[in-house]
mmCIF file of all heavy atoms in Angstrom:
data_model
loop_
_atom_site.group_PDB
_atom_site.id
_atom_site.type_symbol
_atom_site.label_atom_id
_atom_site.label_comp_id
_atom_site.label_asym_id
_atom_site.label_seq_id
_atom_site.Cartn_x
_atom_site.Cartn_y
_atom_site.Cartn_z
ATOM 1 N N GLU A 27 -84.574 144.654 13.914
ATOM 2 C CA GLU A 27 -85.338 143.589 14.555
ATOM 3 C C GLU A 27 -86.609 143.349 13.764
ATOM 4 O O GLU A 27 -87.078 144.228 13.025
ATOM 5 C CB GLU A 27 -85.672 143.932 16.004
ATOM 6 C CG GLU A 27 -86.611 145.104 16.195
ATOM 7 C CD GLU A 27 -86.993 145.311 17.657
ATOM 8 O OE1 GLU A 27 -87.823 144.522 18.162
ATOM 9 O OE2 GLU A 27 -86.455 146.246 18.290
ATOM 10 N N HIS A 28 -87.158 142.147 13.913
ATOM 11 C CA HIS A 28 -88.383 141.798 13.195
ATOM 12 C C HIS A 28 -89.580 142.102 14.078
ATOM 13 O O HIS A 28 -89.612 141.731 15.248
ATOM 14 C CB HIS A 28 -88.371 140.315 12.806
ATOM 15 C CG HIS A 28 -89.261 139.995 11.658
ATOM 16 N ND1 HIS A 28 -90.636 139.862 11.799
ATOM 17 C CD2 HIS A 28 -88.990 139.789 10.339
ATOM 18 C CE1 HIS A 28 -91.161 139.574 10.615
ATOM 19 N NE2 HIS A 28 -90.193 139.527 9.714
ATOM 20 N N GLU A 29 -90.550 142.790 13.511
ATOM 21 C CA GLU A 29 -91.697 143.233 14.320
ATOM 22 C C GLU A 29 -92.715 142.126 14.562
ATOM 23 O O GLU A 29 -93.487 142.200 15.517
ATOM 24 C CB GLU A 29 -92.358 144.428 13.628
ATOM 25 C CG GLU A 29 -91.451 145.647 13.563
ATOM 26 C CD GLU A 29 -92.139 146.871 13.002
ATOM 27 O OE1 GLU A 29 -92.303 146.926 11.761
ATOM 28 O OE2 GLU A 29 -92.505 147.758 13.787
ATOM 29 N N LEU A 30 -92.724 141.097 13.723
ATOM 30 C CA LEU A 30 -93.664 139.994 13.906
ATOM 31 C C LEU A 30 -93.036 138.830 14.665
ATOM 32 O O LEU A 30 -93.681 138.200 15.505
ATOM 33 C CB LEU A 30 -94.167 139.513 12.545
ATOM 34 C CG LEU A 30 -95.247 138.421 12.547
ATOM 35 C CD1 LEU A 30 -96.501 138.890 13.298
ATOM 36 C CD2 LEU A 30 -95.601 138.009 11.124
ATOM 37 N N PHE A 31 -91.753 138.564 14.379
ATOM 38 C CA PHE A 31 -91.040 137.460 15.025
ATOM 39 C C PHE A 31 -90.000 138.066 15.975
ATOM 40 O O PHE A 31 -88.939 138.516 15.533
ATOM 41 C CB PHE A 31 -90.389 136.567 13.972
ATOM 42 C CG PHE A 31 -91.356 136.104 12.913
ATOM 43 C CD1 PHE A 31 -91.085 136.266 11.564
ATOM 44 C CD2 PHE A 31 -92.556 135.494 13.278
ATOM 45 C CE1 PHE A 31 -91.974 135.841 10.592
ATOM 46 C CE2 PHE A 31 -93.464 135.062 12.301
ATOM 47 C CZ PHE A 31 -93.171 135.242 10.967
ATOM 48 N N PRO A 32 -90.268 138.089 17.289
ATOM 49 C CA PRO A 32 -89.509 138.923 18.228
ATOM 50 C C PRO A 32 -88.075 138.501 18.483
ATOM 51 O O PRO A 32 -87.309 139.281 19.049
ATOM 52 C CB PRO A 32 -90.338 138.820 19.513
ATOM 53 C CG PRO A 32 -91.054 137.516 19.413
ATOM 54 C CD PRO A 32 -91.364 137.356 17.951
ATOM 55 N N HIS A 33 -87.681 137.305 18.067
ATOM 56 C CA HIS A 33 -86.322 136.842 18.346
ATOM 57 C C HIS A 33 -85.499 136.714 17.065
ATOM 58 O O HIS A 33 -84.567 135.918 16.993
ATOM 59 C CB HIS A 33 -86.364 135.518 19.110
ATOM 60 C CG HIS A 33 -87.147 135.599 20.378
ATOM 61 N ND1 HIS A 33 -87.807 134.528 20.945
ATOM 62 C CD2 HIS A 33 -87.390 136.658 21.196
ATOM 63 C CE1 HIS A 33 -88.422 134.920 22.054
ATOM 64 N NE2 HIS A 33 -88.183 136.206 22.223
ATOM 65 N N VAL A 34 -85.857 137.500 16.073
ATOM 66 C CA VAL A 34 -85.102 137.573 14.819
ATOM 67 C C VAL A 34 -84.358 138.900 14.808
ATOM 68 O O VAL A 34 -84.970 139.973 14.861
ATOM 69 C CB VAL A 34 -86.037 137.465 13.599
ATOM 70 C CG1 VAL A 34 -85.255 137.717 12.309
ATOM 71 C CG2 VAL A 34 -86.682 136.082 13.561
ATOM 72 N N LEU A 35 -83.040 138.819 14.765
ATOM 73 C CA LEU A 35 -82.199 140.015 14.880
ATOM 74 C C LEU A 35 -81.159 140.019 13.769
ATOM 75 O O LEU A 35 -80.440 139.037 13.569
ATOM 76 C CB LEU A 35 -81.500 140.026 16.249
ATOM 77 C CG LEU A 35 -80.536 141.171 16.537
ATOM 78 C CD1 LEU A 35 -81.243 142.525 16.497
ATOM 79 C CD2 LEU A 35 -79.863 140.961 17.901
ATOM 80 N N ALA A 36 -81.079 141.131 13.041
ATOM 81 C CA ALA A 36 -80.109 141.295 11.952
ATOM 82 C C ALA A 36 -79.086 142.351 12.347
ATOM 83 O O ALA A 36 -79.456 143.459 12.737
ATOM 84 C CB ALA A 36 -80.824 141.707 10.664
ATOM 85 N N LEU A 37 -77.803 142.006 12.232
ATOM 86 C CA LEU A 37 -76.713 142.912 12.592
ATOM 87 C C LEU A 37 -75.863 143.213 11.364
ATOM 88 O O LEU A 37 -75.623 142.329 10.542
ATOM 89 C CB LEU A 37 -75.817 142.283 13.666
ATOM 90 C CG LEU A 37 -76.498 141.710 14.904
ATOM 91 C CD1 LEU A 37 -75.468 141.000 15.781
ATOM 92 C CD2 LEU A 37 -77.203 142.807 15.689
ATOM 93 N N GLN A 38 -75.371 144.440 11.262
ATOM 94 C CA GLN A 38 -74.441 144.775 10.200
ATOM 95 C C GLN A 38 -72.993 144.597 10.661
ATOM 96 O O GLN A 38 -72.077 144.507 9.851
ATOM 97 C CB GLN A 38 -74.670 146.209 9.719
ATOM 98 C CG GLN A 38 -73.808 146.646 8.562
ATOM 99 C CD GLN A 38 -73.952 145.749 7.341
ATOM 100 O OE1 GLN A 38 -74.895 145.837 6.589
ATOM 101 N NE2 GLN A 38 -72.999 144.834 7.155
ATOM 102 N N PHE A 39 -72.778 144.521 11.946
ATOM 103 C CA PHE A 39 -71.427 144.414 12.513
ATOM 104 C C PHE A 39 -71.139 142.969 12.926
ATOM 105 O O PHE A 39 -71.981 142.086 12.796
ATOM 106 C CB PHE A 39 -71.275 145.363 13.700
ATOM 107 C CG PHE A 39 -72.373 145.226 14.725
ATOM 108 C CD1 PHE A 39 -72.253 144.356 15.795
ATOM 109 C CD2 PHE A 39 -73.543 145.982 14.624
ATOM 110 C CE1 PHE A 39 -73.262 144.234 16.739
ATOM 111 C CE2 PHE A 39 -74.553 145.871 15.571
ATOM 112 C CZ PHE A 39 -74.412 144.982 16.625
ATOM 113 N N HIS A 40 -69.919 142.744 13.446
ATOM 114 C CA HIS A 40 -69.455 141.398 13.798
ATOM 115 C C HIS A 40 -69.226 141.283 15.309
ATOM 116 O O HIS A 40 -68.187 141.711 15.813
ATOM 117 C CB HIS A 40 -68.146 141.076 13.075
ATOM 118 C CG HIS A 40 -68.297 140.797 11.626
ATOM 119 N ND1 HIS A 40 -68.595 139.542 11.143
ATOM 120 C CD2 HIS A 40 -68.205 141.615 10.547
ATOM 121 C CE1 HIS A 40 -68.662 139.590 9.810
ATOM 122 N NE2 HIS A 40 -68.435 140.830 9.430
ATOM 123 N N PRO A 41 -70.142 140.654 16.049
ATOM 124 C CA PRO A 41 -69.919 140.442 17.482
ATOM 125 C C PRO A 41 -69.233 139.110 17.770
ATOM 126 O O PRO A 41 -69.107 138.726 18.931
ATOM 127 C CB PRO A 41 -71.347 140.438 18.034
ATOM 128 C CG PRO A 41 -72.142 139.788 16.946
ATOM 129 C CD PRO A 41 -71.499 140.233 15.648
ATOM 130 N N GLU A 42 -68.815 138.395 16.721
ATOM 131 C CA GLU A 42 -68.296 137.033 16.900
ATOM 132 C C GLU A 42 -66.813 136.890 16.615
ATOM 133 O O GLU A 42 -66.216 135.842 16.899
ATOM 134 C CB GLU A 42 -69.084 136.064 16.003
ATOM 135 C CG GLU A 42 -68.612 135.907 14.582
ATOM 136 C CD GLU A 42 -68.854 137.079 13.646
ATOM 137 O OE1 GLU A 42 -69.256 138.164 14.123
ATOM 138 O OE2 GLU A 42 -68.634 136.931 12.434
ATOM 139 N N PHE A 43 -66.146 137.904 16.055
ATOM 140 C CA PHE A 43 -64.758 137.750 15.647
ATOM 141 C C PHE A 43 -63.850 137.478 16.848
ATOM 142 O O PHE A 43 -63.861 138.238 17.834
ATOM 143 C CB PHE A 43 -64.277 139.013 14.928
ATOM 144 C CG PHE A 43 -64.597 139.047 13.460
ATOM 145 C CD1 PHE A 43 -65.438 138.112 12.877
ATOM 146 C CD2 PHE A 43 -64.041 140.025 12.649
ATOM 147 C CE1 PHE A 43 -65.735 138.142 11.528
ATOM 148 C CE2 PHE A 43 -64.321 140.076 11.293
ATOM 149 C CZ PHE A 43 -65.159 139.128 10.733
ATOM 150 N N PRO A 44 -63.014 136.436 16.802
ATOM 151 C CA PRO A 44 -62.123 136.111 17.924
ATOM 152 C C PRO A 44 -61.175 137.231 18.316
ATOM 153 O O PRO A 44 -60.781 137.334 19.481
ATOM 154 C CB PRO A 44 -61.346 134.887 17.401
ATOM 155 C CG PRO A 44 -62.257 134.250 16.411
ATOM 156 C CD PRO A 44 -62.975 135.400 15.749
ATOM 157 N N VAL A 45 -60.813 138.098 17.364
ATOM 158 C CA VAL A 45 -59.861 139.166 17.674
ATOM 159 C C VAL A 45 -60.387 140.112 18.752
ATOM 160 O O VAL A 45 -59.613 140.769 19.451
ATOM 161 C CB VAL A 45 -59.506 139.956 16.384
ATOM 162 C CG1 VAL A 45 -60.692 140.801 15.915
ATOM 163 C CG2 VAL A 45 -58.284 140.828 16.593
ATOM 164 N N LEU A 46 -61.698 140.163 18.937
ATOM 165 C CA LEU A 46 -62.276 141.044 19.956
ATOM 166 C C LEU A 46 -61.929 140.599 21.365
ATOM 167 O O LEU A 46 -61.944 141.411 22.292
ATOM 168 C CB LEU A 46 -63.800 141.097 19.804
ATOM 169 C CG LEU A 46 -64.331 141.765 18.540
ATOM 170 C CD1 LEU A 46 -65.838 141.593 18.439
ATOM 171 C CD2 LEU A 46 -63.961 143.235 18.525
ATOM 172 N N TRP A 47 -61.643 139.319 21.549
ATOM 173 C CA TRP A 47 -61.393 138.798 22.900
ATOM 174 C C TRP A 47 -59.939 138.422 23.117
ATOM 175 O O TRP A 47 -59.558 138.035 24.219
ATOM 176 C CB TRP A 47 -62.288 137.572 23.143
ATOM 177 C CG TRP A 47 -63.581 137.671 22.405
ATOM 178 C CD1 TRP A 47 -64.068 136.823 21.453
ATOM 179 C CD2 TRP A 47 -64.559 138.718 22.516
ATOM 180 N NE1 TRP A 47 -65.257 137.268 20.969
ATOM 181 C CE2 TRP A 47 -65.588 138.430 21.590
ATOM 182 C CE3 TRP A 47 -64.655 139.874 23.300
ATOM 183 C CZ2 TRP A 47 -66.699 139.255 21.430
ATOM 184 C CZ3 TRP A 47 -65.755 140.701 23.147
ATOM 185 C CH2 TRP A 47 -66.759 140.397 22.225
ATOM 186 N N ASP A 48 -59.130 138.540 22.072
ATOM 187 C CA ASP A 48 -57.720 138.169 22.169
ATOM 188 C C ASP A 48 -56.904 139.360 22.664
ATOM 189 O O ASP A 48 -56.575 140.268 21.900
ATOM 190 C CB ASP A 48 -57.225 137.708 20.796
ATOM 191 C CG ASP A 48 -55.798 137.200 20.823
ATOM 192 O OD1 ASP A 48 -55.159 137.274 21.895
ATOM 193 O OD2 ASP A 48 -55.320 136.731 19.767
ATOM 194 N N LYS A 49 -56.560 139.331 23.936
ATOM 195 C CA LYS A 49 -55.833 140.469 24.536
ATOM 196 C C LYS A 49 -54.428 140.609 23.972
ATOM 197 O O LYS A 49 -53.827 141.673 24.068
ATOM 198 C CB LYS A 49 -55.791 140.304 26.051
ATOM 199 C CG LYS A 49 -57.160 140.318 26.711
ATOM 200 C CD LYS A 49 -57.067 140.139 28.218
ATOM 201 C CE LYS A 49 -58.457 140.124 28.846
ATOM 202 N NZ LYS A 49 -58.411 139.945 30.316
ATOM 203 N N GLY A 50 -53.902 139.539 23.389
ATOM 204 C CA GLY A 50 -52.550 139.600 22.844
ATOM 205 C C GLY A 50 -52.489 140.044 21.398
ATOM 206 O O GLY A 50 -51.401 140.225 20.852
ATOM 207 N N ALA A 51 -53.651 140.250 20.770
ATOM 208 C CA ALA A 51 -53.672 140.690 19.366
ATOM 209 C C ALA A 51 -53.437 142.196 19.299
ATOM 210 O O ALA A 51 -54.214 142.983 19.856
ATOM 211 C CB ALA A 51 -55.008 140.333 18.732
#
């Protein structure tokens, strides 16, 4: 997280991949 700009967030992982929500995959 950024200490000066509180809503700046850097992730190393993927929270957006569709396979995470596809129960049939």
